[in-house]
Amino acid sequence: QILACQRAGIAVYVPRTDTSTSKAAGRFSKPDFHYEAEHNKYRCPAGEALKWRFTVEEAGKTLHKYWSSRCPTCSLKAQCTTGKNRRITRWEHEDIIEAMEVELEKAPNKMGIRRQTVEHPYGTLKHWMGSTHFLTKRLKGVSTEMSLHVLAYNLKRVMNIIGIKPLMEAVQA
């Protein structure tokens, strides 16, 4: 979605999420590895090069895989990986994410503005739901329930902005 927005000329400001369990386990995480675009390789905290090995397509995304052959003998291996080699995966358009991170670092107030803009609808929806929990179980049910709340919120906003009569005329058109 970030790629689609970028291609459409829309500036996107989303914090990068670190989904790796490495950091929580006390090991190096991906941000500790530096990507060298001119050589298409990563540099690990021990200074070794993780070379490009192959490209794979997963969930419609082209991903590049990198690792070093020197991992098994590295003195920092315990801080890096529990496997034979530390492998790094890079999305083919990851440079867009990196550029977005640089922009966020330049203007940290953008996240505050984003929170103010986005949090209001979610706060309203949570209030409508009784500030408690979803009434359904499992992802399909919760997704449906949330979609109905969002639809109701959007309809209420449209009615408040343009009025009921213009809304009904637009629906009938």
Side-chain angles (χ1 to χ4, degrees):
Q1 292 174 343
I2 292 170
L3 176 62
C5 288
Q6 191 262 353
R7 286 180 174 165
I10 300 168
V12 180
Y13 300 102
V14 181
R16 186 178 201 151
T17 55
D18 187 7
T19 57
S20 171
T21 57
S22 296
K23 193 170 210 153
R27 294 188 305 272
F28 297 123
S29 62
K30 189 174 177 181
D32 296 316
F33 293 77
H34 175 70
Y35 181 67
E36 298 175 359
E38 61 277 1
H39 299 108
N40 190 26
K41 66 182 178 182
Y42 276 89
R43 185 73 55 188
C44 77
E48 293 295 331
L50 283 75
K51 298 176 186 173
W52 174 86
R53 301 299 177 153
F54 64 92
T55 299
V56 66
E57 187 155 329
E58 293 177 12
K61 291 190 241 176
T62 303
L63 304 173
H64 304 287
K65 305 286 184 167
Y66 300 81
W67 70 84
S68 172
S69 301
R70 297 188 180 214
C71 290
T73 59
C74 181
S75 61
L76 299 178
K77 184 176 186 276
Q79 293 174 272
C80 193
T81 184
T82 58
K84 181 180 175 186
N85 299 85
R86 174 60 186 260
R87 295 174 185 241
I88 299 290
T89 301
R90 182 177 180 82
W91 177 43
E92 68 177 325
H93 299 293
E94 195 151 337
D95 56 320
I96 294 168
I97 307 292
E98 291 166 350
M100 183 178 61
E101 284 179 318
V102 169
E103 289 299 315
L104 275 174
E105 287 174 12
K106 288 181 189 175
N109 64 326
K110 290 203 183 285
M111 284 310 300
I113 294 167
R114 181 177 181 269
R115 269 188 226 98
Q116 291 171 359
T117 306
V118 173
E119 292 300 327
H120 175 73
Y122 285 107
T124 302
L125 290 171
K126 189 173 181 181
H127 177 74
W128 284 358
M129 293 168 57
S131 299
T132 58
H133 56 279
F134 287 98
L135 300 174
T136 57
K137 305 259 188 254
R138 297 200 166 95
L139 182 60
K140 186 178 179 184
V142 170
S143 178
T144 302
E145 186 177 344
M146 186 65 189
S147 294
L148 289 170
H149 282 293
V150 170
L151 177 63
Y153 175 84
N154 288 336
L155 286 172
K156 187 172 181 179
R157 290 280 296 144
V158 169
M159 286 186 274
N160 286 333
I161 293 169
I162 67 170
I164 294 173
K165 188 173 180 179
L167 173 62
M168 294 307 296
E169 289 171 358
V171 169
Q172 291 173 352

